[in-house]
Amino acid sequence: MAGRARPTRPTEPPRLTEAAFGELYRRLLGRSAWASGERGALAALTPSRVAAAAREVRTGRTVTLAAPVETWPGPDNPTPAKHRMNGRPGEDAPGGLHFARDSFAMNVHGDVDSHLDALCHVVYDGTLHGGVPASSVTADGATALSLEAARDGIVGRGVLLDVPRLRGVPWLEPGDHVTAGDLAAAETAQHVRVQEGDLLFVRVGHRRRRAELGAWHTASRRAGLHPSALEFLADRRVALLGGDGNNDTAPGSTDGVDFPVHVLAIHAMGLHLLDYLQFEDLAPVCETADRWSFLCVIAPLRLPDATGSPVNPIAVL
């Protein structure tokens, strides 16, 4: 993919002290008071906005934003999903009716498979989003802010901002940060503007790097958003954030908080997160059409007490 702007890394954003992170958290919390209740920021997906998003459809082309579920171990996937065949009628099966049957088990919040984080996923200072007690997550599941909030699906206008394209590189290297300035510059370069209630997707090129260079220990080294970039999301009042990595950078950028973007997005702002998507199918389509917005449909599994779900988001152009 050809770049459109600066080919080198901009000035490194500052590391946040615990005090500076606390100030940012309180600022974003105050600006996101509208995103309250079980659905959090999904409340912005009003029927009128969903209807408007449907008008994004022009060609009817559909593109997946998910990666295939992986069932083999690797440096970034020590506990892979398990796929077991429970019934496999072979060529020598006797006559009559038979069924092929299988079962799956997976670690939903791993570092490889595409998944949705519910608002009960992050516990910070003893609470969930909105001050809900952490004790609401029990041994039997979450009794508040669970995946049930997305039972009717998540449908809205999706916008893909491609930061490697902006910088003229195939991917961002592990440890690199996406800033609010990057997001604003990507809007300008892509002739698109993120609007209230949008589903924002940010490409860092994690999947392309992994495909070309091989898997690595993602938990310790990955590109993601700088915590200050969440100011951009608050400005635009987005309904959801999705990335092709973990959304958080590693090594971390904040003293005392290992996953600052997760804390700010889920706990302070009420944003459901999508981690480890893949945009390598969608980005070339958007590039060719010079069109970076689309209808997006996300249908997580109906797991009422769960903290997350594997997902296969679909862009409809």
Side-chain angles (χ1 to χ4, degrees):
M1 250 176 287
R4 292 294 185 272
R6 57 185 185 273
T8 57
R9 177 74 181 96
T11 302
E12 182 73 11
R15 184 173 182 84
L16 295 183
T17 64
E18 288 188 60
F21 176 80
E23 292 175 4
L24 177 59
Y25 175 91
R26 288 186 290 273
R27 189 160 61 248
L28 292 173
L29 179 64
R31 298 175 62 189
S32 304
W34 61 272
S36 61
E38 287 284 322
R39 287 176 56 78
L42 294 182
L45 295 175
T46 61
S48 62
R49 287 200 176 108
V50 174
R55 293 193 285 274
E56 292 281 332
V57 178
R58 301 175 190 174
T59 67
R61 180 170 183 175
T62 59
V63 184
T64 178
L65 278 63
V69 174
E70 295 188 8
T71 57
W72 56 91
D76 55 352
N77 199 22
T79 55
K82 296 180 180 179
H83 180 205
R84 177 182 177 183
M85 296 304 298
N86 299 327
R88 188 181 57 174
E91 294 180 356
D92 58 348
L97 177 65
H98 303 275
F99 294 98
R101 295 176 288 108
D102 51 6
S103 62
F104 293 89
M106 69 185 303
N107 170 23
V108 172
H109 298 288
D111 288 322
V112 170
D113 297 319
S114 304
H115 64 270
L116 173 72
D117 291 344
L119 297 186
C120 59
H121 177 50
V122 172
V123 178
Y124 182 63
D125 283 346
T127 67
L128 308 180
H129 169 67
V132 174
S135 58
S136 63
V137 181
T138 73
D140 295 320
T143 61
L145 302 178
S146 73
L147 194 66
E148 183 69 0
R151 65 183 178 273
D152 295 320
I154 301 171
V155 180
R157 178 180 182 257
V159 175
L160 174 64
L161 295 183
D162 191 337
V163 178
R165 177 184 185 271
L166 172 74
R167 297 189 191 168
V169 295
W171 55 72
L172 304 190
E173 289 295 339
D176 205 347
H177 301 281
V178 174
T179 66
D182 288 324
L183 299 178
E187 280 186 314
T188 300
Q190 296 173 208
H191 313 112
V192 69
R193 182 173 175 81
V194 179
Q195 302 170 0
E196 183 173 355
D198 280 352
L199 314 180
L200 175 60
F201 301 101
V202 180
R203 179 177 179 266
V204 299
H206 177 92
R207 290 289 182 181
R208 180 171 173 183
R209 187 184 194 277
R210 187 175 186 266
E212 294 190 16
L213 301 184
W216 69 96
H217 190 250
T218 304
S220 61
R221 297 171 53 246
R222 59 180 180 267
L225 275 66
H226 190 269
S228 60
L230 275 292
E231 298 264 29
F232 177 95
L233 278 66
D235 286 342
R236 304 304 173 81
R237 288 193 168 191
V238 301
L240 171 145
L241 171 65
D244 53 347
N246 176 262
N247 287 297
D248 265 295
T249 305
S253 59
T254 304
D255 295 337
V257 182
D258 290 333
F259 293 87
V261 170
H262 275 66
V263 172
L264 295 174
I266 294 177
H267 197 278
M269 302 174 66
L271 290 172
H272 287 70
L273 290 187
L274 289 163
D275 295 334
Y276 294 107
L277 302 176
Q278 67 84 22
F279 303 128
E280 304 313 307
D281 294 332
L282 178 62
V285 176
C286 293
E287 175 87 36
T288 299
D290 190 24
R291 179 175 164 233
W292 300 85
S293 62
F294 42 86
L295 173 68
C296 186
V297 180
I298 306 166
L301 299 178
R302 189 77 189 272
L303 301 169
D305 303 323
T307 66
S309 170
V311 286
N312 180 17
I314 302 296
V316 188
L317 293 101

